[in-house]
Amino acid sequence: MRKAIEEAYISENNGDIPVGAVIVKDDKIISYAHNEKELQQNAVKHAEVLAIEKACNKMKTWHLDDCTLYTTMEPCLMCSGAVVQSRIKKVVFGIKNEKFGYSELLSSKYKVECIKEDENGEILKMIKNFFEQRR
């Protein structure tokens, strides 16, 4: 999760909502990314989608069955779809996405193990700070 948080800070510095994502296989980082919606002016440039795309390219397959996705925020519907399509079986996320989160759907319908983990509250503080500065 530490690398996902580092990626989220990069996202924040670029003016994007601070979300970072990391794909791990066999305890090794395969790929990582951060939100680039504002940077690229493209609605689908979410950290999770970018990390999945990079992992598929690196592993030369879209089957990420043995991988875990770590992301600082609960995946939205689009990112949840990418998780299902890539066959990722485990998602660890930092904080709930109250407006757009779909971990319950991932768990109940698609049997993806979803774990919420923001042990020291760093991610929540980062998100709150980001939105307070923009409102």
Side-chain angles (χ1 to χ4, degrees):
M1 185 63 81
R2 173 56 31 206
K3 180 63 175 167
I5 292 170
E6 291 171 13
E7 288 295 307
Y9 281 116
I10 294 169
S11 181
E12 181 179 35
N13 290 337
N14 291 336
D16 272 291
I17 295 174
V19 177
V22 175
I23 305 285
V24 173
K25 181 178 180 179
D26 300 327
D27 296 322
K28 294 180 183 157
I29 293 175
I30 302 300
S31 68
Y32 50 89
H34 53 270
N35 272 0
E36 295 185 11
K37 260 172 63 171
E38 293 296 330
L39 184 68
Q40 294 195 36
Q41 291 298 294
N42 186 324
V44 300
K45 297 298 183 178
H46 289 204
E48 299 89 341
V49 170
L50 295 170
I52 289 169
E53 182 178 21
K54 289 177 181 179
C56 291
N57 288 337
K58 183 171 185 175
M59 296 176 62
K60 297 183 181 5
T61 182
W62 59 271
H63 295 264
L64 303 180
D65 311 70
D66 299 326
C67 295
T68 299
L69 168 66
Y70 290 84
T71 181
T72 55
M73 185 180 285
E74 179 184 15
C76 70
L77 181 58
M78 176 182 67
C79 295
S80 294
V83 166
V84 170
Q85 290 296 318
S86 63
R87 299 184 178 172
I88 291 172
K89 299 289 186 241
K90 183 176 180 181
V91 174
V92 180
F93 63 92
I95 61 171
K96 293 283 289 175
N97 184 339
E98 298 299 333
K99 286 187 178 181
F100 302 109
Y102 280 86
S103 64
E104 289 179 25
L105 178 70
L106 282 172
S107 293
S108 63
K109 185 165 182 162
Y110 297 103
K111 307 303 181 220
V112 175
E113 180 183 4
C114 294
I115 300 167
K116 182 180 174 294
E117 177 186 287
D118 184 19
E119 292 178 10
N120 61 9
E122 180 179 2
I123 299 166
L124 183 59
K125 290 174 196 164
M126 180 191 329
I127 290 289
K128 282 185 175 182
N129 183 51
F130 177 83
F131 284 110
E132 284 174 0
Q133 290 178 357
R134 280 150 182 82
R135 293 184 178 157

